[in-house]
Amino acid sequence: MLRLPPFVVLQPETPEQAVAAWHPEAVYMAGGTDLLPNLKHGLGAPKQLISLNRLPRGGILIEAEQLVVCASTTLSELAQSKLVRGLAPPLARAASLVASPQIRNAGTLGGNILLDTRCLFYNQTAFWRRALGHCLKAEGDWCHVIGGPKTCVAAQSSDTVPVLLGLDASVELLGASGARVLALRDLFRFNGMDHLKLEPGELLTRVFIPRPAPGFRGTYEKLRVRDSIDFPQLGLAISGTWEGTTPKTLDIVVGAAGPIPKPIGKLEAFCGQELTDEGIEAIAELVRKGTRPNEAIHGDPAWRRQMSAVMTRRALTALRDA
Ligand SMILES: Cc1cc2nc3c(=O)[nH]c(=O)nc-3n(C[C@H](O)[C@H](O)[C@H](O)COP(=O)(O)OP(=O)(O)OC[C@H]3O[C@@H](n4cnc5c(N)ncnc54)[C@H](O)[C@@H]3O)c2cc1C
Ligand code: SF4
């Protein structure tokens, strides 16, 4: 049986109290669906858990031409919200594809954005990791994926993050010296051991998503072993504005292929003209070239890379013909 380490649970009632309670041996806990399994695996042993469950719940609303989502919104609430389904359908879809209903009922958007990176050599029991001789991200000095002593390439495995990046979202962070707003694209760094550019103790409070322009169409496609529960082996977020079969803007972000989601460049060349089957093939090839999955998570990297093109072709054809 896997047991949790001993800790004290604090239950602040305001974000300010939560931030004031933070110290280097404490961690925030929202739904706990990422954090608690990790603690059971001996990945961290904080002295205090600062539960966010008693903080006021801000819900989902429209404010100054943007969708404002409180970090404590559960993935189920996000998936079912009429506002989100109407204004940012790929976000509702991505939330609906996370894990299982029970996990979506407890897991929050804030926790989904900030969840730890994942790796087959890391997300294991302490016994398993010890038998292997540990790895760079926890207790060891060697990466078993790339075979080196410096870089960890564990995968950023959130389903909502690629979509939020495509929607140009930003996050509100509350720290000891006040609140700041950070573009989501500036939150991540290419380092699976330390992939979030957060100041110590910063609390994610709200997520801002600009209201999409008229003609918006987008989707999120997910490759995984079992549709009922698994993390992504690859995530593909597409968003854009369309006039008939002509994309006016197009954004594609690939998730779960490394420590940071990968935006695909050079898509402007396909905008402002009808998107033909040949154009879709060319974009699928751009995505394939830009997607370099590694062996940190399940699935042959070459097959996942090839699937990025297949998923792009299918998703773009459906969006064009919608
Ligand atoms: C079996 C299983 C399958 C899963 N499948 C998927 C999947 O398919 N796709 C996917 O994306 N995820 C998956 N997850 C991971 C997880 O359930 C979700 O990512 C969930 O959204 C995490 O949210 P949470 O509120 O439970 O986060 P928590 O576990 O509470 O927290 C996660 C991390 O974020 C920090 N944190 C949380 N909220 C805040 C905040 N407001 N401010 C600062 N720090 C904060 C915590 O300290 C912790 O480090 C799965 C988990 C399990 C156990
Ligand atoms: S990518 Fe390498 S260092 Fe990172 S968790 Fe996996 S084995 Fe460890």
Side-chain angles (χ1 to χ4, degrees):
M1 180 191 284
L2 295 174
R3 292 184 189 282
L4 282 167
F7 48 72
V8 171
V9 178
L10 304 180
Q11 294 187 303
E13 303 205 342
T14 66
E16 290 74 18
Q17 285 175 6
V19 170
W22 188 87
H23 59 87
E25 290 189 284
V27 288
Y28 295 126
M29 180 179 70
T33 61
D34 181 50
L35 181 70
L36 295 178
N38 282 352
L39 295 185
K40 284 188 173 183
H41 282 165
L43 296 166
K47 294 217 166 96
Q48 291 180 339
L49 294 198
I50 303 173
S51 166
L52 306 177
N53 287 339
R54 290 204 179 162
L55 303 192
R57 293 172 57 79
I60 304 170
L61 45 103
I62 290 279
E63 213 176 79
E65 281 306 294
Q66 53 185 1
L67 197 55
V68 181
V69 186
C70 178
S72 64
T73 303
T74 66
L75 296 164
S76 294
E77 288 166 341
L78 202 58
Q80 286 155 20
S81 157
K82 284 195 181 133
L83 261 184
V84 179
R85 289 163 73 137
L87 287 176
L91 180 58
R93 178 169 163 77
S96 78
L97 295 177
V98 172
S100 64
Q102 295 91 335
I103 290 174
R104 291 194 293 273
N105 287 343
T108 64
L109 178 60
N112 194 246
I113 292 172
L114 301 180
L115 91 164
D116 196 8
T117 54
R118 297 188 63 80
C119 177
L120 290 167
F121 296 99
Y122 173 76
N123 296 102
Q124 302 287 353
T125 62
F127 175 77
W128 194 104
R129 297 195 311 277
R130 194 166 58 245
L132 180 77
H134 301 295
C135 86
L136 198 56
K137 185 165 157 76
E139 307 122 343
D141 56 10
W142 191 256
C143 171
H144 304 290
V145 174
I146 57 171
K150 285 192 182 145
T151 312
C152 166
V153 291
Q156 204 286 339
S157 299
S158 159
D159 281 306
T160 64
V161 164
V163 172
L164 288 168
L165 285 168
L167 295 174
D168 206 18
S170 47
V171 288
E172 181 185 66
L173 301 164
L174 182 66
S177 51
R180 65 175 176 135
V181 174
L182 184 72
L184 194 64
R185 63 178 167 276
D186 295 329
L187 180 64
F188 302 101
R189 65 164 72 91
F190 194 93
N191 178 353
M193 291 180 287
D194 183 20
H195 74 296
L196 296 169
K197 293 185 203 164
L198 287 179
E199 298 297 329
E202 272 187 322
L203 180 74
L204 199 168
T205 44
R206 293 188 293 173
V207 179
F208 305 114
I209 304 156
R211 185 195 271 265
F216 175 84
R217 284 180 225 160
T219 190
Y220 176 72
E221 301 303 329
K222 175 170 178 172
L223 184 68
R224 56 179 160 175
V225 180
R226 298 164 298 182
D227 275 350
S228 54
I229 191 160
D230 283 327
F231 278 92
Q233 293 173 298
L234 206 67
L236 178 80
I238 305 185
S239 50
T241 47
W242 295 72
E243 244 173 39
T245 53
T246 298
K248 292 194 288 178
T249 64
L250 207 48
D251 275 293
I252 300 183
V253 182
V254 178
I260 51 172
K262 167 87 182 174
I264 303 297
K266 300 187 185 156
L267 296 178
E268 317 77 53
F270 300 90
C271 296
Q273 57 192 302
E274 187 181 347
L275 188 60
T276 58
D277 288 346
E278 291 72 31
I280 290 178
E281 276 310 319
I283 295 176
E285 179 58 12
L286 268 185
V287 173
R288 194 192 66 78
K289 279 191 178 148
T291 303
R292 302 233 164 89
N294 61 42
E295 288 177 339
I297 57 175
H298 287 288
D300 174 43
W303 172 72
R304 285 160 58 216
R305 191 177 196 201
Q306 197 56 37
M307 282 307 292
S308 69
V310 174
M311 290 158 70
T312 304
R313 188 182 310 124
R314 288 177 185 161
L316 269 180
T317 305
L319 286 176
R320 181 196 60 185
D321 299 343

